[in-house]
Amino acid sequence: RKEVEQDPGPFNVPEGATVAFNCTYSNSASQSFFWYRQDCRKEPKLLMSVYSSGNEDGRFTAQLNRASQYISLLIRDSKLSDSATYLCVVRGNSGYALNFGKGTSLLVTP
Amino acid sequence: EAQVTQNPRYLITVTGKKLTVTCSQNMNHEYMSWYRQDPGLGLRQIYYSMNVEVTDKGDVPEGYKVSRKEKRNFPLILESPSPNQTSLYFCASSNLQGSSNEQFFGPGTRLTVL
C-alpha cells in the first residue's frame, strides 16, 4: 500500500466553483502534513502546512483527521490560476524525508 | 534571492556516458535531497543528505551516486546512465531547525538517455 494516496483526477471545474481534494496516509505515526502545488513542468512549491486544528489561508482551507489518517484541501471561488497539480505530502516520525502523493490535477475553466 | 539552482536544465545523452547534475542552494540549509518524477509514479526520493559528508539512500538509489563535500552543493552523479533513468529530476533543500521543514525545490533537470 502506497504511503500517501490521492485521487489523481483530473478535476475540471468552472471558475468560481468550490473544489475539495482528499488524501490518505498509511503511517499513523506521521508528524507533519503539507499541500504542495506543482504547475506543469515546474518545481513543486509549498502551498500550506496542515495542522490538526485545521487552517485557512485566503480561499484555501486544509483539514487533518488523524484518527482516519485523512487530509483534505478545499479551494473556494476557484480562479483560472488555480489550475495545477496539488500534491499531498506527509513527513514520518523519523528523519526528514517527505512522502509525496502522486498528485491531483485541477483544471479551472472559464 | 533565496534559491536552489540546478544545472543543466535539459540534457540528452547516450547510454553509458557518465554525467553529473549539479545542485546548489544559498539558504544555508542542512538538508538536501534528490527526487525523480515520472508520469504515474509521482516524486520519488533518490538520495538525501542531512549535512556535509552525511548522505543516505532514498527509495530509488540504484544507478545514482551523490556527494556532499560542501553545505551548499549536492551533485547527482550517473556513472553509467541507462534509458530507464530518463526522467525529470528535482533537487530540494530545507532547514532542519523549526517545525515547518518546508522543502525548496530547484527548477528541475529534464534528462533523456538514448
Side-chain angles (χ1 to χ4, degrees):
Chain A
R1 179 184 168 189
K2 184 125 177 39
E3 290 208 38
V4 181
E5 298 205 47
Q6 297 179 246
D7 180 345
F11 284 64
N12 293 337
V13 303
E15 266 185 297
T18 295
V19 61
F21 304 138
N22 303 319
C23 165
T24 57
Y25 59 96
S26 60
N27 183 355
S28 60
S30 296
Q31 294 292 316
S32 305
F33 310 89
F34 312 91
W35 284 100
Y36 275 69
R37 170 191 168 130
Q38 186 175 22
D39 293 295
C40 187
R41 297 177 180 272
K42 297 283 188 70
E43 71 273 23
K45 292 183 179 177
L46 179 67
L47 177 66
M48 58 197 302
S49 300
V50 187
Y51 303 117
S52 297
S53 53
N55 49 299
E56 190 173 305
D57 183 2
R59 298 181 292 107
F60 299 84
T61 301
Q63 298 274 358
L64 169 63
N65 184 321
R66 282 188 184 271
S68 302
Q69 295 178 210
Y70 170 96
I71 306 160
S72 67
L73 176 68
L74 183 78
I75 305 175
R76 290 181 299 277
D77 188 23
S78 299
K79 311 291 184 193
L80 296 177
S81 57
D82 292 335
S83 298
T85 296
Y86 291 83
L87 305 171
C88 178
V89 185
V90 174
R91 182 168 71 85
N93 61 324
S94 62
Y96 292 85
L98 298 179
N99 293 306
F100 286 80
K102 294 179 184 179
T104 298
S105 176
L106 171 66
L107 178 63
V108 181
T109 55
Chain B
E1 180 190 354
Q3 61 183 348
V4 179
T5 56
Q6 295 178 226
N7 280 292
R9 294 288 314 279
Y10 304 91
L11 179 62
I12 300 174
T13 189
V14 295
T15 299
K17 186 175 180 183
K18 181 179 178 180
L19 66 92
T20 299
V21 184
T22 64
C23 173
S24 183
Q25 50 93 6
N26 62 2
M27 295 169 278
N28 202 37
H29 286 164
E30 297 92 348
Y31 183 90
M32 296 186 75
S33 180
W34 275 103
Y35 299 90
R36 61 178 289 175
Q37 188 172 35
D38 302 287
L41 296 177
L43 274 158
R44 294 179 293 168
Q45 190 177 49
I46 303 170
Y47 268 95
Y48 65 95
S49 169
M50 302 282 279
N51 215 324
V52 176
E53 302 292 0
V54 180
T55 63
D56 213 340
K57 296 178 180 178
D59 297 320
V60 288
E62 294 78 21
Y64 304 95
K65 285 172 58 176
V66 292
S67 69
R68 189 89 182 273
K69 295 187 173 62
E70 306 162 280
K71 198 171 187 180
R72 63 183 292 126
N73 296 324
F74 190 45
L76 179 69
I77 304 151
L78 285 71
E79 294 271 2
S80 182
S82 62
N84 65 10
Q85 293 179 296
T86 292
S87 187
L88 177 58
Y89 291 86
F90 288 105
C91 179
S93 72
S94 69
N95 194 338
L96 290 180
Q97 307 302 319
S99 60
S100 171
N101 305 132
E102 174 184 356
Q103 287 204 5
F104 294 85
F105 284 80
T109 295
R110 188 165 292 278
L111 172 66
T112 300
V113 183
L114 302 175

